[in-house]
Amino acid sequence: MNDTTPGIDVRPGSLADAPAILDMLDSAVAWMNARGNTEQWGTTPYSQKTGGVARVQRYTTENAPYIAELDGTPVGAMVLDSGPSPQVPIAPAGEPERYVRLLVSDRQRAGLGIGAALLAHAVEETRRAGVGLLRVDCWAGGGGELVAFYERNGFTTTDRFLSGSWPGQVLARRVD
């Protein structure tokens, strides 16, 4: 459930949600590209990227996926894990943590607080697990809008990193 954004409910996800997540990712790539952002996620639809479908299937079977719904329709997705992806140059926290591996929302419903609702749910899940640290990483390029989004949602910037030429930012939030 979600108490912060009226009308948006958050439920556990499953492999059955993979097609909806892929649709959201594909529309996010198209939306970013239409705004001139081809660096964050590239120009290829996520469902057509090498390994993209398999990654989303792993997210929904090996991690903790959550789906935001509005009137029963999936409008956002988040995946929690116990640490950063081994594919990115981010050091483990050195303490138990929950890590947001994926956060995406339906761009046709932008501005409704879907991402904020999912992050609030991540805080609840982290606290429920008895873990005091929630972290996320994101693209730090462009005008820094994505970093600012996480800061508005209670996260503090920590480490910057480069994955090839892709600039990233790690953010953390204490929940204890």
Side-chain angles (χ1 to χ4, degrees), residues 64 66 78-84 93 95-101 121-137 155 170-175:
Y66 295 93
M78 175 183 64
V79 174
L80 288 178
D81 200 356
S82 59
E95 67 178 277
E97 68 177 312
R98 290 294 178 269
Y99 206 95
V100 177
R101 286 277 191 101
H121 191 78
V123 169
E124 292 171 21
E125 290 296 320
T126 301
R127 189 174 288 125
R128 190 178 352 265
V131 175
L133 179 63
L134 176 63
R135 291 197 308 162
V136 64
D137 65 79
F155 288 82
V170 179
L171 298 100
R173 179 171 174 179
R174 301 295 319 175
V175 299

PDB file of all heavy atoms in Angstrom, residues 64 66 78-84 93 95-101 121-137 155 170-175:
ATOM      1  N   ALA A  64      13.695  -8.322  -5.748  1.00  0.00           N
ATOM      2  CA  ALA A  64      12.391  -7.986  -5.162  1.00  0.00           C
ATOM      3  C   ALA A  64      11.743  -6.901  -6.014  1.00  0.00           C
ATOM      4  O   ALA A  64      12.007  -5.710  -5.824  1.00  0.00           O
ATOM      5  CB  ALA A  64      12.567  -7.515  -3.717  1.00  0.00           C
ATOM      6  N   TYR A  66       8.627  -4.551  -7.453  1.00  0.00           N
ATOM      7  CA  TYR A  66       7.385  -3.935  -6.988  1.00  0.00           C
ATOM      8  C   TYR A  66       6.764  -3.178  -8.153  1.00  0.00           C
ATOM      9  O   TYR A  66       7.475  -2.555  -8.945  1.00  0.00           O
ATOM     10  CB  TYR A  66       7.649  -2.987  -5.814  1.00  0.00           C
ATOM     11  CG  TYR A  66       8.149  -3.729  -4.609  1.00  0.00           C
ATOM     12  CD1 TYR A  66       9.511  -3.874  -4.386  1.00  0.00           C
ATOM     13  CD2 TYR A  66       7.258  -4.336  -3.721  1.00  0.00           C
ATOM     14  CE1 TYR A  66       9.979  -4.597  -3.302  1.00  0.00           C
ATOM     15  CE2 TYR A  66       7.729  -5.059  -2.635  1.00  0.00           C
ATOM     16  CZ  TYR A  66       9.081  -5.190  -2.427  1.00  0.00           C
ATOM     17  OH  TYR A  66       9.548  -5.917  -1.363  1.00  0.00           O
ATOM     18  N   MET A  78       9.751  -0.907  -9.692  1.00  0.00           N
ATOM     19  CA  MET A  78      10.986  -0.728  -8.929  1.00  0.00           C
ATOM     20  C   MET A  78      11.506  -2.120  -8.580  1.00  0.00           C
ATOM     21  O   MET A  78      10.721  -3.041  -8.336  1.00  0.00           O
ATOM     22  CB  MET A  78      10.694   0.044  -7.646  1.00  0.00           C
ATOM     23  CG  MET A  78      11.895   0.168  -6.724  1.00  0.00           C
ATOM     24  SD  MET A  78      11.489   1.011  -5.183  1.00  0.00           S
ATOM     25  CE  MET A  78      10.304  -0.112  -4.440  1.00  0.00           C
ATOM     26  N   VAL A  79      12.820  -2.235  -8.560  1.00  0.00           N
ATOM     27  CA  VAL A  79      13.452  -3.482  -8.167  1.00  0.00           C
ATOM     28  C   VAL A  79      14.426  -3.186  -7.039  1.00  0.00           C
ATOM     29  O   VAL A  79      15.276  -2.301  -7.156  1.00  0.00           O
ATOM     30  CB  VAL A  79      14.184  -4.131  -9.364  1.00  0.00           C
ATOM     31  CG1 VAL A  79      14.958  -5.360  -8.922  1.00  0.00           C
ATOM     32  CG2 VAL A  79      13.193  -4.486 -10.467  1.00  0.00           C
ATOM     33  N   LEU A  80      14.276  -3.923  -5.942  1.00  0.00           N
ATOM     34  CA  LEU A  80      15.194  -3.807  -4.809  1.00  0.00           C
ATOM     35  C   LEU A  80      16.106  -5.017  -4.766  1.00  0.00           C
ATOM     36  O   LEU A  80      15.701  -6.134  -5.092  1.00  0.00           O
ATOM     37  CB  LEU A  80      14.421  -3.733  -3.484  1.00  0.00           C
ATOM     38  CG  LEU A  80      13.673  -2.456  -3.185  1.00  0.00           C
ATOM     39  CD1 LEU A  80      12.929  -2.587  -1.856  1.00  0.00           C
ATOM     40  CD2 LEU A  80      14.619  -1.275  -3.138  1.00  0.00           C
ATOM     41  N   ASP A  81      17.328  -4.785  -4.317  1.00  0.00           N
ATOM     42  CA  ASP A  81      18.305  -5.854  -4.145  1.00  0.00           C
ATOM     43  C   ASP A  81      19.097  -5.558  -2.879  1.00  0.00           C
ATOM     44  O   ASP A  81      18.881  -4.539  -2.218  1.00  0.00           O
ATOM     45  CB  ASP A  81      19.225  -5.933  -5.365  1.00  0.00           C
ATOM     46  CG  ASP A  81      19.937  -7.279  -5.491  1.00  0.00           C
ATOM     47  OD1 ASP A  81      19.783  -8.140  -4.610  1.00  0.00           O
ATOM     48  OD2 ASP A  81      20.673  -7.462  -6.475  1.00  0.00           O
ATOM     49  N   SER A  82      20.053  -6.421  -2.575  1.00  0.00           N
ATOM     50  CA  SER A  82      20.852  -6.252  -1.361  1.00  0.00           C
ATOM     51  C   SER A  82      22.137  -5.483  -1.601  1.00  0.00           C
ATOM     52  O   SER A  82      22.933  -5.312  -0.679  1.00  0.00           O
ATOM     53  CB  SER A  82      21.170  -7.622  -0.756  1.00  0.00           C
ATOM     54  OG  SER A  82      21.885  -8.397  -1.693  1.00  0.00           O
ATOM     55  N   GLY A  83      22.358  -5.003  -2.824  1.00  0.00           N
ATOM     56  CA  GLY A  83      23.549  -4.231  -3.125  1.00  0.00           C
ATOM     57  C   GLY A  83      23.568  -3.804  -4.572  1.00  0.00           C
ATOM     58  O   GLY A  83      22.670  -4.152  -5.342  1.00  0.00           O
ATOM     59  N   PRO A  84      24.584  -3.044  -4.945  1.00  0.00           N
ATOM     60  CA  PRO A  84      24.670  -2.557  -6.330  1.00  0.00           C
ATOM     61  C   PRO A  84      24.940  -3.688  -7.312  1.00  0.00           C
ATOM     62  O   PRO A  84      25.415  -4.758  -6.935  1.00  0.00           O
ATOM     63  CB  PRO A  84      25.830  -1.566  -6.289  1.00  0.00           C
ATOM     64  CG  PRO A  84      26.640  -1.966  -5.110  1.00  0.00           C
ATOM     65  CD  PRO A  84      25.694  -2.587  -4.124  1.00  0.00           C
ATOM     66  N   ALA A  93      28.373  -1.076   0.450  1.00  0.00           N
ATOM     67  CA  ALA A  93      28.258  -0.057   1.498  1.00  0.00           C
ATOM     68  C   ALA A  93      29.071  -0.376   2.745  1.00  0.00           C
ATOM     69  O   ALA A  93      29.360   0.517   3.527  1.00  0.00           O
ATOM     70  CB  ALA A  93      26.792   0.124   1.883  1.00  0.00           C
ATOM     71  N   GLU A  95      27.918  -2.245   5.083  1.00  0.00           N
ATOM     72  CA  GLU A  95      26.890  -2.551   6.075  1.00  0.00           C
ATOM     73  C   GLU A  95      25.686  -3.090   5.299  1.00  0.00           C
ATOM     74  O   GLU A  95      25.605  -2.905   4.082  1.00  0.00           O
ATOM     75  CB  GLU A  95      26.492  -1.307   6.869  1.00  0.00           C
ATOM     76  CG  GLU A  95      25.784  -0.258   6.032  1.00  0.00           C
ATOM     77  CD  GLU A  95      25.351   0.962   6.835  1.00  0.00           C
ATOM     78  OE1 GLU A  95      24.287   0.907   7.468  1.00  0.00           O
ATOM     79  OE2 GLU A  95      26.109   1.957   6.823  1.00  0.00           O
ATOM     80  N   PRO A  96      24.776  -3.757   5.979  1.00  0.00           N
ATOM     81  CA  PRO A  96      23.583  -4.216   5.253  1.00  0.00           C
ATOM     82  C   PRO A  96      22.865  -3.035   4.599  1.00  0.00           C
ATOM     83  O   PRO A  96      22.769  -1.955   5.189  1.00  0.00           O
ATOM     84  CB  PRO A  96      22.726  -4.850   6.354  1.00  0.00           C
ATOM     85  CG  PRO A  96      23.711  -5.256   7.408  1.00  0.00           C
ATOM     86  CD  PRO A  96      24.778  -4.189   7.379  1.00  0.00           C
ATOM     87  N   GLU A  97      22.396  -3.258   3.399  1.00  0.00           N
ATOM     88  CA  GLU A  97      21.702  -2.204   2.667  1.00  0.00           C
ATOM     89  C   GLU A  97      20.647  -2.814   1.765  1.00  0.00           C
ATOM     90  O   GLU A  97      20.674  -4.003   1.463  1.00  0.00           O
ATOM     91  CB  GLU A  97      22.679  -1.383   1.822  1.00  0.00           C
ATOM     92  CG  GLU A  97      23.287  -2.150   0.659  1.00  0.00           C
ATOM     93  CD  GLU A  97      24.195  -1.312  -0.225  1.00  0.00           C
ATOM     94  OE1 GLU A  97      23.805  -0.204  -0.622  1.00  0.00           O
ATOM     95  OE2 GLU A  97      25.311  -1.778  -0.519  1.00  0.00           O
ATOM     96  N   ARG A  98      19.727  -1.987   1.332  1.00  0.00           N
ATOM     97  CA  ARG A  98      18.820  -2.292   0.234  1.00  0.00           C
ATOM     98  C   ARG A  98      19.209  -1.317  -0.861  1.00  0.00           C
ATOM     99  O   ARG A  98      19.603  -0.184  -0.596  1.00  0.00           O
ATOM    100  CB  ARG A  98      17.351  -2.108   0.614  1.00  0.00           C
ATOM    101  CG  ARG A  98      16.846  -3.146   1.593  1.00  0.00           C
ATOM    102  CD  ARG A  98      16.843  -4.546   0.951  1.00  0.00           C
ATOM    103  NE  ARG A  98      16.415  -5.571   1.882  1.00  0.00           N
ATOM    104  CZ  ARG A  98      17.236  -6.270   2.662  1.00  0.00           C
ATOM    105  NH1 ARG A  98      18.536  -6.068   2.638  1.00  0.00           N
ATOM    106  NH2 ARG A  98      16.763  -7.195   3.464  1.00  0.00           N
ATOM    107  N   TYR A  99      19.109  -1.793  -2.100  1.00  0.00           N
ATOM    108  CA  TYR A  99      19.581  -1.017  -3.239  1.00  0.00           C
ATOM    109  C   TYR A  99      18.505  -0.998  -4.309  1.00  0.00           C
ATOM    110  O   TYR A  99      17.995  -2.046  -4.715  1.00  0.00           O
ATOM    111  CB  TYR A  99      20.860  -1.664  -3.805  1.00  0.00           C
ATOM    112  CG  TYR A  99      21.746  -0.686  -4.517  1.00  0.00           C
ATOM    113  CD1 TYR A  99      22.798  -0.074  -3.855  1.00  0.00           C
ATOM    114  CD2 TYR A  99      21.528  -0.359  -5.846  1.00  0.00           C
ATOM    115  CE1 TYR A  99      23.625   0.834  -4.507  1.00  0.00           C
ATOM    116  CE2 TYR A  99      22.348   0.545  -6.499  1.00  0.00           C
ATOM    117  CZ  TYR A  99      23.391   1.140  -5.821  1.00  0.00           C
ATOM    118  OH  TYR A  99      24.198   2.046  -6.464  1.00  0.00           O
ATOM    119  N   VAL A 100      18.150   0.191  -4.762  1.00  0.00           N
ATOM    120  CA  VAL A 100      17.185   0.326  -5.856  1.00  0.00           C
ATOM    121  C   VAL A 100      17.939   0.055  -7.145  1.00  0.00           C
ATOM    122  O   VAL A 100      18.781   0.847  -7.561  1.00  0.00           O
ATOM    123  CB  VAL A 100      16.535   1.728  -5.875  1.00  0.00           C
ATOM    124  CG1 VAL A 100      15.589   1.856  -7.075  1.00  0.00           C
ATOM    125  CG2 VAL A 100      15.807   2.008  -4.568  1.00  0.00           C
ATOM    126  N   ARG A 101      17.648  -1.072  -7.778  1.00  0.00           N
ATOM    127  CA  ARG A 101      18.322  -1.440  -9.026  1.00  0.00           C
ATOM    128  C   ARG A 101      17.619  -0.877 -10.247  1.00  0.00           C
ATOM    129  O   ARG A 101      18.231  -0.671 -11.278  1.00  0.00           O
ATOM    130  CB  ARG A 101      18.368  -2.961  -9.174  1.00  0.00           C
ATOM    131  CG  ARG A 101      19.346  -3.661  -8.287  1.00  0.00           C
ATOM    132  CD  ARG A 101      20.744  -3.634  -8.922  1.00  0.00           C
ATOM    133  NE  ARG A 101      21.626  -4.510  -8.209  1.00  0.00           N
ATOM    134  CZ  ARG A 101      21.970  -5.717  -8.615  1.00  0.00           C
ATOM    135  NH1 ARG A 101      21.494  -6.194  -9.747  1.00  0.00           N
ATOM    136  NH2 ARG A 101      22.773  -6.432  -7.892  1.00  0.00           N
ATOM    137  N   HIS A 121       7.849   3.319  -0.814  1.00  0.00           N
ATOM    138  CA  HIS A 121       7.687   1.890  -0.546  1.00  0.00           C
ATOM    139  C   HIS A 121       9.046   1.235  -0.286  1.00  0.00           C
ATOM    140  O   HIS A 121       9.158   0.359   0.582  1.00  0.00           O
ATOM    141  CB  HIS A 121       6.967   1.210  -1.712  1.00  0.00           C
ATOM    142  CG  HIS A 121       6.550  -0.179  -1.390  1.00  0.00           C
ATOM    143  ND1 HIS A 121       5.442  -0.456  -0.619  1.00  0.00           N
ATOM    144  CD2 HIS A 121       7.107  -1.373  -1.702  1.00  0.00           C
ATOM    145  CE1 HIS A 121       5.330  -1.767  -0.481  1.00  0.00           C
ATOM    146  NE2 HIS A 121       6.326  -2.337  -1.135  1.00  0.00           N
ATOM    147  N   ALA A 122      10.065   1.659  -1.014  1.00  0.00           N
ATOM    148  CA  ALA A 122      11.414   1.123  -0.787  1.00  0.00           C
ATOM    149  C   ALA A 122      11.882   1.432   0.633  1.00  0.00           C
ATOM    150  O   ALA A 122      12.504   0.587   1.293  1.00  0.00           O
ATOM    151  CB  ALA A 122      12.398   1.689  -1.809  1.00  0.00           C
ATOM    152  N   VAL A 123      11.588   2.627   1.105  1.00  0.00           N
ATOM    153  CA  VAL A 123      11.941   2.996   2.481  1.00  0.00           C
ATOM    154  C   VAL A 123      11.219   2.077   3.462  1.00  0.00           C
ATOM    155  O   VAL A 123      11.825   1.543   4.399  1.00  0.00           O
ATOM    156  CB  VAL A 123      11.611   4.485   2.758  1.00  0.00           C
ATOM    157  CG1 VAL A 123      11.707   4.804   4.241  1.00  0.00           C
ATOM    158  CG2 VAL A 123      12.538   5.384   1.952  1.00  0.00           C
ATOM    159  N   GLU A 124       9.916   1.855   3.249  1.00  0.00           N
ATOM    160  CA  GLU A 124       9.146   0.973   4.124  1.00  0.00           C
ATOM    161  C   GLU A 124       9.719  -0.439   4.123  1.00  0.00           C
ATOM    162  O   GLU A 124       9.860  -1.062   5.182  1.00  0.00           O
ATOM    163  CB  GLU A 124       7.683   0.918   3.668  1.00  0.00           C
ATOM    164  CG  GLU A 124       6.907   2.197   3.844  1.00  0.00           C
ATOM    165  CD  GLU A 124       5.538   2.123   3.169  1.00  0.00           C
ATOM    166  OE1 GLU A 124       5.030   1.003   2.920  1.00  0.00           O
ATOM    167  OE2 GLU A 124       4.974   3.195   2.892  1.00  0.00           O
ATOM    168  N   GLU A 125      10.030  -0.962   2.938  1.00  0.00           N
ATOM    169  CA  GLU A 125      10.566  -2.322   2.836  1.00  0.00           C
ATOM    170  C   GLU A 125      11.938  -2.427   3.499  1.00  0.00           C
ATOM    171  O   GLU A 125      12.250  -3.428   4.139  1.00  0.00           O
ATOM    172  CB  GLU A 125      10.646  -2.770   1.375  1.00  0.00           C
ATOM    173  CG  GLU A 125       9.303  -3.021   0.740  1.00  0.00           C
ATOM    174  CD  GLU A 125       8.543  -4.167   1.393  1.00  0.00           C
ATOM    175  OE1 GLU A 125       9.160  -5.202   1.740  1.00  0.00           O
ATOM    176  OE2 GLU A 125       7.310  -4.021   1.574  1.00  0.00           O
ATOM    177  N   THR A 126      12.758  -1.414   3.342  1.00  0.00           N
ATOM    178  CA  THR A 126      14.086  -1.400   3.958  1.00  0.00           C
ATOM    179  C   THR A 126      13.948  -1.403   5.477  1.00  0.00           C
ATOM    180  O   THR A 126      14.604  -2.192   6.175  1.00  0.00           O
ATOM    181  CB  THR A 126      14.886  -0.179   3.474  1.00  0.00           C
ATOM    182  OG1 THR A 126      14.989  -0.247   2.041  1.00  0.00           O
ATOM    183  CG2 THR A 126      16.273  -0.133   4.080  1.00  0.00           C
ATOM    184  N   ARG A 127      13.089  -0.561   5.984  1.00  0.00           N
ATOM    185  CA  ARG A 127      12.848  -0.496   7.428  1.00  0.00           C
ATOM    186  C   ARG A 127      12.271  -1.818   7.935  1.00  0.00           C
ATOM    187  O   ARG A 127      12.697  -2.347   8.962  1.00  0.00           O
ATOM    188  CB  ARG A 127      11.899   0.666   7.733  1.00  0.00           C
ATOM    189  CG  ARG A 127      11.758   0.955   9.220  1.00  0.00           C
ATOM    190  CD  ARG A 127      10.926   2.202   9.475  1.00  0.00           C
ATOM    191  NE  ARG A 127      11.667   3.398   9.096  1.00  0.00           N
ATOM    192  CZ  ARG A 127      11.236   4.330   8.252  1.00  0.00           C
ATOM    193  NH1 ARG A 127      10.046   4.238   7.698  1.00  0.00           N
ATOM    194  NH2 ARG A 127      11.980   5.381   7.974  1.00  0.00           N
ATOM    195  N   ARG A 128      11.306  -2.377   7.219  1.00  0.00           N
ATOM    196  CA  ARG A 128      10.672  -3.641   7.610  1.00  0.00           C
ATOM    197  C   ARG A 128      11.699  -4.775   7.686  1.00  0.00           C
ATOM    198  O   ARG A 128      11.590  -5.664   8.519  1.00  0.00           O
ATOM    199  CB  ARG A 128       9.558  -3.979   6.618  1.00  0.00           C
ATOM    200  CG  ARG A 128       8.676  -5.126   7.038  1.00  0.00           C
ATOM    201  CD  ARG A 128       7.524  -5.450   6.083  1.00  0.00           C
ATOM    202  NE  ARG A 128       7.262  -4.565   4.980  1.00  0.00           N
ATOM    203  CZ  ARG A 128       6.367  -3.579   4.987  1.00  0.00           C
ATOM    204  NH1 ARG A 128       5.655  -3.338   6.053  1.00  0.00           N
ATOM    205  NH2 ARG A 128       6.182  -2.848   3.906  1.00  0.00           N
ATOM    206  N   ALA A 129      12.713  -4.712   6.823  1.00  0.00           N
ATOM    207  CA  ALA A 129      13.766  -5.728   6.825  1.00  0.00           C
ATOM    208  C   ALA A 129      14.785  -5.507   7.942  1.00  0.00           C
ATOM    209  O   ALA A 129      15.709  -6.318   8.106  1.00  0.00           O
ATOM    210  CB  ALA A 129      14.470  -5.744   5.468  1.00  0.00           C
ATOM    211  N   GLY A 130      14.645  -4.403   8.678  1.00  0.00           N
ATOM    212  CA  GLY A 130      15.593  -4.119   9.750  1.00  0.00           C
ATOM    213  C   GLY A 130      16.920  -3.594   9.242  1.00  0.00           C
ATOM    214  O   GLY A 130      17.945  -3.680   9.914  1.00  0.00           O
ATOM    215  N   VAL A 131      16.909  -3.029   8.047  1.00  0.00           N
ATOM    216  CA  VAL A 131      18.112  -2.496   7.417  1.00  0.00           C
ATOM    217  C   VAL A 131      18.042  -0.970   7.495  1.00  0.00           C
ATOM    218  O   VAL A 131      16.983  -0.379   7.305  1.00  0.00           O
ATOM    219  CB  VAL A 131      18.208  -2.976   5.948  1.00  0.00           C
ATOM    220  CG1 VAL A 131      19.385  -2.345   5.234  1.00  0.00           C
ATOM    221  CG2 VAL A 131      18.308  -4.500   5.908  1.00  0.00           C
ATOM    222  N   GLY A 132      19.175  -0.332   7.790  1.00  0.00           N
ATOM    223  CA  GLY A 132      19.180   1.109   7.999  1.00  0.00           C
ATOM    224  C   GLY A 132      19.600   1.958   6.816  1.00  0.00           C
ATOM    225  O   GLY A 132      19.574   3.181   6.897  1.00  0.00           O
ATOM    226  N   LEU A 133      19.991   1.327   5.697  1.00  0.00           N
ATOM    227  CA  LEU A 133      20.522   2.085   4.573  1.00  0.00           C
ATOM    228  C   LEU A 133      19.847   1.673   3.275  1.00  0.00           C
ATOM    229  O   LEU A 133      19.778   0.480   2.946  1.00  0.00           O
ATOM    230  CB  LEU A 133      22.030   1.867   4.455  1.00  0.00           C
ATOM    231  CG  LEU A 133      22.751   2.582   3.313  1.00  0.00           C
ATOM    232  CD1 LEU A 133      22.664   4.099   3.463  1.00  0.00           C
ATOM    233  CD2 LEU A 133      24.208   2.131   3.246  1.00  0.00           C
ATOM    234  N   LEU A 134      19.374   2.672   2.543  1.00  0.00           N
ATOM    235  CA  LEU A 134      18.815   2.472   1.210  1.00  0.00           C
ATOM    236  C   LEU A 134      19.660   3.295   0.250  1.00  0.00           C
ATOM    237  O   LEU A 134      19.886   4.482   0.479  1.00  0.00           O
ATOM    238  CB  LEU A 134      17.357   2.947   1.172  1.00  0.00           C
ATOM    239  CG  LEU A 134      16.647   2.891  -0.181  1.00  0.00           C
ATOM    240  CD1 LEU A 134      16.542   1.456  -0.691  1.00  0.00           C
ATOM    241  CD2 LEU A 134      15.250   3.526  -0.064  1.00  0.00           C
ATOM    242  N   ARG A 135      20.153   2.643  -0.815  1.00  0.00           N
ATOM    243  CA  ARG A 135      20.955   3.377  -1.799  1.00  0.00           C
ATOM    244  C   ARG A 135      20.395   3.168  -3.200  1.00  0.00           C
ATOM    245  O   ARG A 135      19.654   2.240  -3.467  1.00  0.00           O
ATOM    246  CB  ARG A 135      22.421   2.919  -1.775  1.00  0.00           C
ATOM    247  CG  ARG A 135      23.157   3.302  -0.531  1.00  0.00           C
ATOM    248  CD  ARG A 135      24.671   3.216  -0.658  1.00  0.00           C
ATOM    249  NE  ARG A 135      25.152   1.933  -1.160  1.00  0.00           N
ATOM    250  CZ  ARG A 135      26.376   1.748  -1.682  1.00  0.00           C
ATOM    251  NH1 ARG A 135      27.230   2.756  -1.756  1.00  0.00           N
ATOM    252  NH2 ARG A 135      26.742   0.565  -2.110  1.00  0.00           N
ATOM    253  N   VAL A 136      20.821   4.057  -4.088  1.00  0.00           N
ATOM    254  CA  VAL A 136      20.441   4.007  -5.492  1.00  0.00           C
ATOM    255  C   VAL A 136      21.564   4.661  -6.283  1.00  0.00           C
ATOM    256  O   VAL A 136      22.311   5.486  -5.745  1.00  0.00           O
ATOM    257  CB  VAL A 136      19.091   4.742  -5.723  1.00  0.00           C
ATOM    258  CG1 VAL A 136      19.202   6.226  -5.400  1.00  0.00           C
ATOM    259  CG2 VAL A 136      18.566   4.533  -7.146  1.00  0.00           C
ATOM    260  N   ASP A 137      21.696   4.283  -7.541  1.00  0.00           N
ATOM    261  CA  ASP A 137      22.586   5.034  -8.422  1.00  0.00           C
ATOM    262  C   ASP A 137      21.783   5.465  -9.638  1.00  0.00           C
ATOM    263  O   ASP A 137      20.773   4.868  -9.976  1.00  0.00           O
ATOM    264  CB  ASP A 137      23.831   4.225  -8.821  1.00  0.00           C
ATOM    265  CG  ASP A 137      23.514   3.009  -9.662  1.00  0.00           C
ATOM    266  OD1 ASP A 137      23.291   3.160 -10.887  1.00  0.00           O
ATOM    267  OD2 ASP A 137      23.498   1.889  -9.101  1.00  0.00           O
ATOM    268  N   PHE A 155      17.109  11.477  -0.515  1.00  0.00           N
ATOM    269  CA  PHE A 155      18.436  10.886  -0.690  1.00  0.00           C
ATOM    270  C   PHE A 155      19.503  11.978  -0.686  1.00  0.00           C
ATOM    271  O   PHE A 155      19.238  13.116  -1.056  1.00  0.00           O
ATOM    272  CB  PHE A 155      18.505  10.100  -2.006  1.00  0.00           C
ATOM    273  CG  PHE A 155      17.732   8.811  -1.976  1.00  0.00           C
ATOM    274  CD1 PHE A 155      16.359   8.809  -2.186  1.00  0.00           C
ATOM    275  CD2 PHE A 155      18.374   7.614  -1.742  1.00  0.00           C
ATOM    276  CE1 PHE A 155      15.633   7.628  -2.157  1.00  0.00           C
ATOM    277  CE2 PHE A 155      17.670   6.429  -1.720  1.00  0.00           C
ATOM    278  CZ  PHE A 155      16.294   6.429  -1.919  1.00  0.00           C
ATOM    279  N   VAL A 170      25.912   7.931  -6.978  1.00  0.00           N
ATOM    280  CA  VAL A 170      25.305   7.102  -5.942  1.00  0.00           C
ATOM    281  C   VAL A 170      24.666   8.040  -4.919  1.00  0.00           C
ATOM    282  O   VAL A 170      25.241   9.075  -4.564  1.00  0.00           O
ATOM    283  CB  VAL A 170      26.356   6.194  -5.256  1.00  0.00           C
ATOM    284  CG1 VAL A 170      25.720   5.358  -4.158  1.00  0.00           C
ATOM    285  CG2 VAL A 170      27.061   5.315  -6.284  1.00  0.00           C
ATOM    286  N   LEU A 171      23.479   7.675  -4.466  1.00  0.00           N
ATOM    287  CA  LEU A 171      22.778   8.443  -3.442  1.00  0.00           C
ATOM    288  C   LEU A 171      22.364   7.481  -2.334  1.00  0.00           C
ATOM    289  O   LEU A 171      22.129   6.291  -2.587  1.00  0.00           O
ATOM    290  CB  LEU A 171      21.545   9.137  -4.002  1.00  0.00           C
ATOM    291  CG  LEU A 171      21.828  10.162  -5.102  1.00  0.00           C
ATOM    292  CD1 LEU A 171      21.559   9.581  -6.474  1.00  0.00           C
ATOM    293  CD2 LEU A 171      21.001  11.412  -4.889  1.00  0.00           C
ATOM    294  N   ALA A 172      22.267   7.998  -1.111  1.00  0.00           N
ATOM    295  CA  ALA A 172      21.928   7.153   0.027  1.00  0.00           C
ATOM    296  C   ALA A 172      20.868   7.831   0.883  1.00  0.00           C
ATOM    297  O   ALA A 172      20.768   9.066   0.920  1.00  0.00           O
ATOM    298  CB  ALA A 172      23.181   6.891   0.859  1.00  0.00           C
ATOM    299  N   ARG A 173      20.124   7.006   1.581  1.00  0.00           N
ATOM    300  CA  ARG A 173      19.126   7.507   2.528  1.00  0.00           C
ATOM    301  C   ARG A 173      19.108   6.594   3.750  1.00  0.00           C
ATOM    302  O   ARG A 173      18.978   5.379   3.623  1.00  0.00           O
ATOM    303  CB  ARG A 173      17.746   7.519   1.875  1.00  0.00           C
ATOM    304  CG  ARG A 173      16.678   8.011   2.814  1.00  0.00           C
ATOM    305  CD  ARG A 173      15.376   8.233   2.128  1.00  0.00           C
ATOM    306  NE  ARG A 173      14.365   8.578   3.117  1.00  0.00           N
ATOM    307  CZ  ARG A 173      13.114   8.847   2.828  1.00  0.00           C
ATOM    308  NH1 ARG A 173      12.711   8.847   1.567  1.00  0.00           N
ATOM    309  NH2 ARG A 173      12.265   9.110   3.780  1.00  0.00           N
ATOM    310  N   ARG A 174      19.300   7.197   4.919  1.00  0.00           N
ATOM    311  CA  ARG A 174      19.200   6.450   6.176  1.00  0.00           C
ATOM    312  C   ARG A 174      17.714   6.255   6.479  1.00  0.00           C
ATOM    313  O   ARG A 174      16.920   7.185   6.336  1.00  0.00           O
ATOM    314  CB  ARG A 174      19.844   7.207   7.346  1.00  0.00           C
ATOM    315  CG  ARG A 174      21.298   7.544   7.191  1.00  0.00           C
ATOM    316  CD  ARG A 174      22.319   6.458   7.117  1.00  0.00           C
ATOM    317  NE  ARG A 174      22.169   5.323   8.004  1.00  0.00           N
ATOM    318  CZ  ARG A 174      22.961   4.251   7.952  1.00  0.00           C
ATOM    319  NH1 ARG A 174      23.950   4.199   7.085  1.00  0.00           N
ATOM    320  NH2 ARG A 174      22.774   3.259   8.754  1.00  0.00           N
ATOM    321  N   VAL A 175      17.358   5.068   6.906  1.00  0.00           N
ATOM    322  CA  VAL A 175      15.955   4.799   7.215  1.00  0.00           C
ATOM    323  C   VAL A 175      15.767   4.334   8.660  1.00  0.00           C
ATOM    324  O   VAL A 175      14.652   4.073   9.061  1.00  0.00           O
ATOM    325  CB  VAL A 175      15.330   3.788   6.246  1.00  0.00           C
ATOM    326  CG1 VAL A 175      15.361   4.318   4.830  1.00  0.00           C
ATOM    327  CG2 VAL A 175      16.001   2.446   6.340  1.00  0.00           C
TER     328      VAL A 175
END
